[in-house]
Structures are given as structure tokens and as C-alpha cells.
Amino acid sequence: QVQLVESGGGLVEPGGSLRLSCASSGIIFSRSDMAWYRQAPGKQRELVADITSGGVANIQNSVKGRFSISRDNIRRTVYLQMNNLEAEDTAVYFCNAVGPRYGRSSISNFWGQGTQVTVAS
């Protein structure tokens, strides 16, 4: 069974920081591309940042310079460091994995359940 479990969300004041974590199980993490998406109320889910299995990171322009993504292949965890948060960053943040399950060679797409980030004073 594949699980992506996000943590680290919460309420933070504008200008504050949060670090989201996504712990994985059931996938071959080292061979999976990982990403963070977010969905604000009434809006479509959007990509925030992604990192390839080889460690190449890509940050969307809307958060570039404030957010960073990293991965720990030993802990099978991907992180999203969010600094200088703004009210517009308020959303549910989802972890995404594209990679093979253990025991399978085919590539599949997996989602976590999401974690709420609220930026408000």
C-alpha cells in the first residue's frame, strides 16, 4: 500500500515560515519524482515545486525566492521550506509522487491527503 503523509501545516502570520514534510511508504522513493501542489478555496490545484529522482529542483515563479524543495532518500521524505509567507499562500498543500511501487516496474501517480496552511495575522 502506498502512503504519502504530509505534516507541518498550520497557522502562521505573514512573513513567517513553515516547513512541510511528506513521508512516503510503498514506493521506490529514490526512483520517484516528487512534487508539492496547492489548492486554494475556489481555485484549481497548482504546482508549487518539484524535484526529480536525481535531485533537480524546480520552483514555480509565484513562490521563487521564498520556497525551496528538498528530498532525503534515506528517510524517503520530501520537504517544502516556505519562508516569507503571504496571505496568498493560504491553501491545502498536497504531496505528489510519480514513480514505481515496490514490486512493480510501471510508473504511477500518487497523492497525499493534504495539509492546511493558513497565513493570517
Side-chain angles (χ1 to χ4, degrees):
Q1 181 180 359
V2 174
Q3 283 192 311
L4 299 175
V5 180
E6 300 101 333
S7 60
L11 173 64
V12 63
E13 292 187 346
S17 296
L18 285 174
R19 188 175 83 152
L20 304 183
S21 300
C22 171
S24 70
S25 60
I27 62 171
I28 305 177
F29 184 82
S30 61
R31 291 171 52 192
S32 298
D33 296 335
M34 304 298 296
W36 286 96
Y37 286 74
R38 67 185 181 185
Q39 188 166 19
K43 294 188 176 181
Q44 290 189 332
R45 191 172 297 190
E46 64 174 358
L47 176 66
V48 176
D50 61 88
I51 185 166
T52 69
S53 58
V56 177
N58 176 57
I59 309 295
Q60 295 301 294
N61 287 335
S62 58
V63 299
K64 193 168 289 187
R66 300 188 297 119
F67 291 13
S68 62
I69 187 170
S70 61
R71 63 188 295 156
D72 184 334
N73 285 352
I74 302 299
R75 291 182 170 83
R76 299 191 302 273
T77 299
V78 63
Y79 304 97
L80 184 69
Q81 178 66 44
M82 305 186 294
N83 299 326
N84 195 19
L85 283 159
E86 304 170 352
E88 292 72 23
D89 297 317
T90 295
V92 178
Y93 284 71
F94 296 90
C95 179
N96 172 259
V98 177
R101 302 171 188 249
Y102 279 112
R104 300 190 185 182
S105 58
S106 59
I107 303 299
S108 299
N109 193 16
F110 305 100
W111 291 92
Q113 82 287 350
T115 185
Q116 177 70 47
V117 171
T118 302
V119 184
S121 54

